[in-house]
């Protein structure tokens, strides 16, 4: 007999004479003649109630001893439930304990702090909250492919190991097979990376954008969706050393088209989660962020606001607020400013565009004013930046100038520059941080709690 998932059992159209359910014991309550067991298999938030009669042969030896956390296999009948809040329950014909869990099982019924659960990241998916978060994560990963595939975008697998630093921020993890205690050296005494595995310095990618651009200049509309790595030593609730990023790239597209796509994409993902993860989002709204559901509805109802960087600086400085980091034109917006714009000023997601050239990487298209570039950041309430993107510099000479400004060696990027030599086109794209999007959709406040096994400074357990 094949296994039925709890999700399907709870949605059954009618009673069933024989059903096989397998999962883990959440709770067991004993009455005189039977036990109530709540069985959860992670297929949905809810568990199903199993009734095990004391007349079952292994009742005293096995069933009445099954603790929270034990795995069980139940063969029984699906019948209408007398209890509240559930339509169906299972009366067991047989119940076997597959794997016992003793009283040291850390996920007992009482609520645990997120910090504690992080330390048991191997068990936390069995809790309600993390089950919900990771089901939403899985669903949205699927929705991302659906969104782009329906639009005719081709999925490109950009490399994980690369020799280029796309963002130019120097936050790279080195990839090497050299012996750190005896590296080969040049005559000048430097480490000789020519003798390294790739015969040059290599790193884990910080972004698939540069390679995605090559494919956009061939297949027109493409996207990447993969892990990216940043050796950013910032211990914040929004930064991880390993995170997943979605990067669409479109040929014959300008900044306006880029901002339009970003808005459509974010709204699509929110709608998809509302539609397919309703119970999980409701749970998050109840236990994580009371405002979640209303906020998501609200975000869908209105067009996102747009404002230039120059306007943003004016708004910030006219606000009359005191800032931990005062800003003037030319400074990076800090998290406090980003959140002020989205949460207090616009009270909705806002796309800030046309940033000072000096703040942004070499590949962004220079505006006619010579001072700003066609950059955009999408800022959302509660988090700040979730998307960074731009129109790319398609003019060969301007790109070369930019590279010189950023002290990049053109020879290292010869293939990237070639795109501007052969059939160059205006093109644009952006990167959505998948974990930040998940934080936005679930209301979870720390990036460590929306990725299965977080990698942050000082932490690579599991
Ligand atoms: O703004 P970023 O650095 O942009 C790029 O990497 C571009 N190459 C994207 C492109 O145009 N194709 O990063 C994009 C997004 C950020 O908005 C943020 O959501 C996320 O990636 N991100 C991080 N998420 C978690 N931890 C980190 N350390 C992150 N750094 C960036
Ligand atoms: Mg950015």
């Amino acid at each position: 007999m094949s296994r039925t998932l709890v999700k399907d059992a709870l949605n059954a159209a009618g009673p069933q004479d024989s059903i096989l359910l397998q999962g883990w014991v959440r709770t067991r309550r004993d009455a005189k003649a039977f036990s109530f067991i709540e069985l959860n298999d992670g297929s949905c938030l809810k568990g199903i109630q199993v009734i095990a009669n004391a007349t079952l042969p292994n009742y005293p030896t096995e069933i009445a001893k099954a603790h929270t956390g034990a795995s069980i296999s139940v063969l029984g009948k699906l019948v209408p439930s007398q209890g509240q809040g559930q339509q169906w329950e299972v009366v067991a014909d047989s119940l076997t304990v597959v794997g016992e869990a003793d009283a040291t099982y850390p996920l007992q019924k009482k609520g645990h702090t997120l910090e504690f659960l992080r330390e048991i990241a191997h068990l936390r998916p069995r809790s309600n909250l993390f089950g919900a978060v990771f089901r939403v994560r899985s669903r949205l990963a699927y929705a991302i492919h659906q969104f782009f595939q329906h639009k005719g975008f081709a999925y490109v697998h950009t490399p994980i190991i690369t020799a280029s630093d796309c963002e130019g921020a120097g936050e790279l993890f080195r990839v090497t097979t050299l012996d750190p205690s005896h590296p080969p050296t040049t005559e000048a005494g430097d480490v000789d990376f020519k003798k390294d595995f790739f015969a040059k310095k290599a790193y884990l990618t910080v972004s698939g954008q540069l390679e995605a651009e090559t494919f956009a200049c061939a297949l027109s509309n493409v996207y990447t969706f993969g892990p990216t790595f940043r050796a950013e030593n910032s211990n914040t609730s929004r930064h991880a050393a390993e995170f997943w990023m979605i990067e669409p790239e479109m040929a014959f597209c300008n900044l306006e088209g880029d901002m339009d796509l970003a808005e459509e994409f974010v709204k699509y993902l929110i709608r998809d989660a509302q539609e397919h993860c309703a119970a999980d989002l409701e749970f998050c709204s109840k236990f994580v962020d009371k405002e979640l559901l209303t906020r998501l509805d609200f975000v869908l109802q209105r067009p996102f606001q747009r404002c230039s960087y120059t306007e943003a600086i004016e708004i910030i400085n006219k606000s009359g607020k005191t800032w931990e980091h005062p800003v003037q034109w030319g400074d990076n917006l800090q998290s406090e400013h980003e959140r002020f714009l989205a949460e207090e000023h616009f009270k909705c997601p806002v796309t800030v565009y046309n940033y000072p050239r000096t703040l942004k990487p070499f590949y962004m298209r220079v505006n006619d004013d010579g001072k700003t570039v066609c950059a955009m950041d999408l800022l959302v309430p509660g988090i700040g930046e979730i998307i960074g993107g731009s129109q790319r510099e398609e003019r060969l000479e301007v790109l070369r100038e930019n590279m010189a400004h950023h002290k990049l060696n053109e020879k290292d990027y010869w293939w990237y520059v070639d795109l501007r030599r052969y059939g160059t086109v205006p093109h644009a794209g952006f990167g959505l941080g998948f974990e930040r999007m998940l934080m936005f959709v679930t209301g979870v406040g720390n990036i460590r709690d929306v990725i299965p096994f977080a990698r942050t400074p000082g932490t690579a357990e599991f």
Side-chain angles (χ1 to χ4, degrees):
M1 174 158 208
S2 70
R3 176 188 183 196
T4 301
L5 292 175
V6 168
K7 166 176 80 166
D8 298 323
L10 291 173
N11 287 325
Q16 289 177 30
D17 277 348
S18 181
I19 192 169
L20 173 65
L21 292 160
Q22 296 173 313
W24 293 267
V25 174
R26 274 295 172 81
T27 54
R28 199 197 73 230
R29 275 187 305 123
D30 299 329
K32 259 210 185 101
F34 47 81
S35 287
F36 289 116
I37 291 172
E38 190 197 339
L39 178 153
N40 186 296
D41 68 1
S43 60
C44 61
L45 184 68
K46 280 188 120 175
I48 194 162
Q49 174 159 281
V50 176
I51 296 163
N53 268 300
T55 52
L56 290 170
N58 62 343
Y59 187 86
T61 51
E62 235 181 289
I63 299 172
K65 288 181 182 159
H67 289 108
T68 296
S71 51
I72 57 172
S73 189
V74 182
L75 205 54
K77 293 178 187 56
L78 189 73
V79 299
S81 174
Q82 318 292 310
Q84 279 200 341
Q86 71 225 349
Q87 203 184 347
W88 303 108
E89 63 190 20
V90 176
V91 178
D93 293 322
S94 74
L95 190 159
T96 40
V97 174
V98 178
E100 187 43 293
D102 67 18
T104 64
Y105 180 63
L107 288 174
Q108 301 297 337
K109 182 102 173 125
K110 65 180 158 70
H112 296 290
T113 65
L114 294 175
E115 289 76 13
F116 169 73
L117 290 167
R118 248 170 246 155
E119 288 167 19
I120 50 163
H122 59 307
L123 297 173
R124 69 178 181 170
R126 298 192 202 178
S127 67
N128 280 335
L129 174 62
F130 286 94
V133 165
F134 293 124
R135 276 186 299 272
V136 174
R137 186 176 171 114
S138 166
R139 175 66 214 185
L140 287 192
Y142 178 68
I144 284 160
H145 287 294
Q146 273 196 325
F147 177 82
F148 287 114
Q149 296 286 336
H150 281 168
K151 284 186 166 296
F153 282 56
Y155 179 31
V156 180
H157 296 110
T158 50
I160 304 248
I161 299 174
T162 170
S164 43
D165 179 4
C166 175
E167 295 307 296
E171 295 161 340
L172 300 157
F173 285 104
R174 166 88 29 94
V175 175
T176 177
T177 52
L178 296 180
D179 178 352
S181 49
H182 301 286
T185 48
T186 60
E187 267 173 29
D190 301 324
V191 174
D192 186 1
F193 285 100
K194 286 217 174 69
K195 300 224 169 74
D196 202 349
F197 190 91
F198 297 107
K200 54 160 70 170
K201 290 181 185 170
Y203 311 94
L204 294 179
T205 188
V206 296
S207 160
Q209 178 197 320
L210 303 186
E211 292 89 350
E213 282 185 54
T214 71
F215 270 73
C217 293
L219 308 188
S220 286
N221 291 329
V222 302
Y223 69 104
T224 72
F225 180 12
T228 43
F229 307 88
R230 296 196 186 177
E232 221 165 344
N233 204 359
S234 45
N235 239 316
T236 80
S237 59
R238 305 174 308 129
H239 289 90
E242 178 179 313
F243 64 97
W244 286 62
M245 185 156 53
I246 302 98
E247 297 183 273
E249 191 71 35
M250 295 163 286
F252 303 98
C253 181
N254 59 17
L255 189 66
E256 183 109 4
D258 203 31
M259 295 196 279
D260 290 345
L261 183 79
E263 176 168 349
E264 187 188 343
F265 181 41
V266 166
K267 286 182 168 170
Y268 178 91
L269 294 182
I270 294 173
R271 262 191 221 103
D272 187 273
Q274 284 180 331
E275 192 175 327
H276 295 278
C277 307
D280 289 327
L281 291 193
E282 223 169 273
F283 181 84
C284 291
S285 183
K286 223 168 168 178
F287 293 100
V288 182
D289 177 354
K290 298 262 182 289
E291 247 106 87
L292 179 67
L293 295 182
T294 22
R295 181 163 62 244
L296 292 180
D297 278 335
F298 176 77
V299 162
L300 289 178
Q301 279 159 16
R302 295 179 57 183
F304 293 178
Q305 301 296 298
R306 290 182 188 175
C307 100
S308 71
Y309 167 89
T310 304
E311 288 162 344
I313 293 288
E314 275 171 28
I315 291 168
I316 291 163
N317 285 331
K318 280 190 190 149
S319 69
K321 293 175 78 91
T322 43
W323 303 100
E324 201 184 322
H325 309 274
V327 279
Q328 42 181 324
W329 203 96
D331 294 335
N332 253 320
L333 298 183
Q334 303 293 321
S335 171
E336 57 176 332
H337 311 121
E338 295 182 342
R339 295 190 52 173
F340 162 75
L341 290 170
E343 285 161 31
E344 293 177 48
H345 187 79
F346 290 105
K347 298 191 170 65
C348 116
V350 51
T351 311
V352 180
Y353 60 91
N354 287 352
Y355 281 77
R357 189 177 181 174
T358 47
L359 294 179
K360 294 291 183 181
F362 75 98
Y363 54 71
M364 293 192 179
R365 192 178 199 279
V366 182
N367 282 317
D368 291 344
D369 62 14
K371 293 193 315 198
T372 60
V373 284
C374 287
M376 63 107 165
D377 279 0
L378 175 64
L379 317 176
V380 301
I383 299 170
E385 177 191 341
I386 62 168
I387 282 181
S390 64
Q391 185 174 339
R392 320 307 188 188
E393 184 53 76
E394 86 283 12
R395 298 162 296 185
L396 178 62
E397 285 319 312
V398 187
L399 179 70
R400 297 176 73 177
E401 236 171 74
N402 280 352
M403 295 182 81
H405 262 295
H406 284 85
K407 303 208 168 23
L408 292 178
N409 190 344
E410 224 184 286
K411 280 197 200 113
D412 295 338
Y413 294 85
W414 62 274
W415 51 275
Y416 187 76
V417 179
D418 259 5
L419 298 179
R420 280 75 183 164
R421 279 201 184 95
Y422 306 122
T424 192
V425 286
H427 60 289
F430 63 79
L432 169 69
F434 189 37
E435 286 73 22
R436 295 216 184 146
M437 183 66 202
L438 285 166
M439 290 168 72
F440 189 50
V441 169
T442 60
V444 167
N446 196 307
I447 196 164
R448 292 164 180 79
D449 300 327
V450 294
I451 189 163
F453 299 101
R455 270 75 182 105
T456 51
T459 314
E461 188 71 43
F462 307 102

